[in-house]
């Protein structure tokens, strides 16, 4: 994570200083809410194997989850921004009949309660596929998003989102997350 001391030590232009002050203000705003935000320079994330039944990396549409009332805060300041899907434009990958059959075969048992635990332990139940007509929306640059998280008795559906695809040579993302 990048800290205030590192940001303040940078030799920046007038516009760079304004951007740094904006970043620091967002960090303080979240700390003032008793959150623990981090500012990260991300060159890429690990990817799942190409033939995974359900990809579980952050490049796949997914929701965040927590055992208690929670939210995730995200802001991309530089690089490609995160993307989201409207809930009506997505469905859980584990609800697809072929995927469910493949996962049951991997699990090796028809016990429903154990299978649900298997899906949860492997985070398969948090990943979504888009409908054929879905159009992802961009979180944009410099927009601080509070995204809904899946938690017991949550009054709202979770935010379906993903990290942008990256290629070698792409600029790193400067991302705030809490």
């Amino acid at each position: 994570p990048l800290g205030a001391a590192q940001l303040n030590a940078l030799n920046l232009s007038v516009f760079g200083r304004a951007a740094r002050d904006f970043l620091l203000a967002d960090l303080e705003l979240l700390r003032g809410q008793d959150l623990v935000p981090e500012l990260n320079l991300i060159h890429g994330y690990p990817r799942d194997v190409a033939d995974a039944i359900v990809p579980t990396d952050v490049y796949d549409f997914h929701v965040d989850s927590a055992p208690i009332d929670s939210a995730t805060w995200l802001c991309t300041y530089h690089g490609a921004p995160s993307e989201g899907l409207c809930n009506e434009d997505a469905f859980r990958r584990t609800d697809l009949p072929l995927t469910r059959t493949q996962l049951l075969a991997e699990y090796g048992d028809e016990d429903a309660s154990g299978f649900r635990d298997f899906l949860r332990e492997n985070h398969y139940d948090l990943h979504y596929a888009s409908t054929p007509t879905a159009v992802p929306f961009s979180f944009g640059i410099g927009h601080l998003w509070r995204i809904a998280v899946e938690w017991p008795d949550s009054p709202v559906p979770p935010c379906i989102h993903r990290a942008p695809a990256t290629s070698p040579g792409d600029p790193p993302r400067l991302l705030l997350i809490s």
Side-chain angles (χ1 to χ4, degrees), residues 34-165:
D34 292 327
L35 299 173
V36 185
E38 283 190 1
L39 189 59
N40 293 297
L41 195 58
I42 300 169
H43 294 275
Y45 298 99
R47 289 192 180 262
D48 277 352
V49 293
D51 61 348
I53 298 169
V54 175
T56 57
D57 58 44
V58 296
Y59 296 110
D60 191 54
F61 282 113
H62 65 280
V63 298
D64 298 341
S65 70
I68 59 170
D69 180 353
S70 185
T72 297
W73 292 80
L74 286 175
C75 184
T76 302
Y77 297 102
H78 178 74
S82 298
E83 294 181 316
L85 272 182
C86 294
N87 290 78
E88 60 270 13
D89 290 335
F91 47 89
R92 279 188 204 265
R93 289 185 177 274
T94 57
D95 292 339
L96 293 167
L98 177 58
T99 301
R100 193 163 194 83
T101 299
Q102 291 173 320
L103 289 170
L104 275 166
E106 181 180 313
Y107 176 64
D109 191 349
E110 294 286 330
D111 175 42
S113 65
F115 182 62
R116 281 192 300 274
D117 291 341
F118 166 77
L119 296 177
R120 189 173 34 259
E121 288 166 6
N122 289 286
H123 309 289
Y124 296 142
D125 60 335
L126 301 176
H127 287 264
Y128 287 74
S130 60
T131 62
T133 58
V135 178
F137 59 88
S138 175
F139 283 24
I141 300 293
H143 303 288
L144 183 58
W145 285 73
R146 180 181 182 184
I147 62 173
V149 169
E150 183 174 275
W151 52 272
D153 301 320
S154 174
V156 298
C159 177
I160 301 168
H161 63 286
R162 69 178 175 192

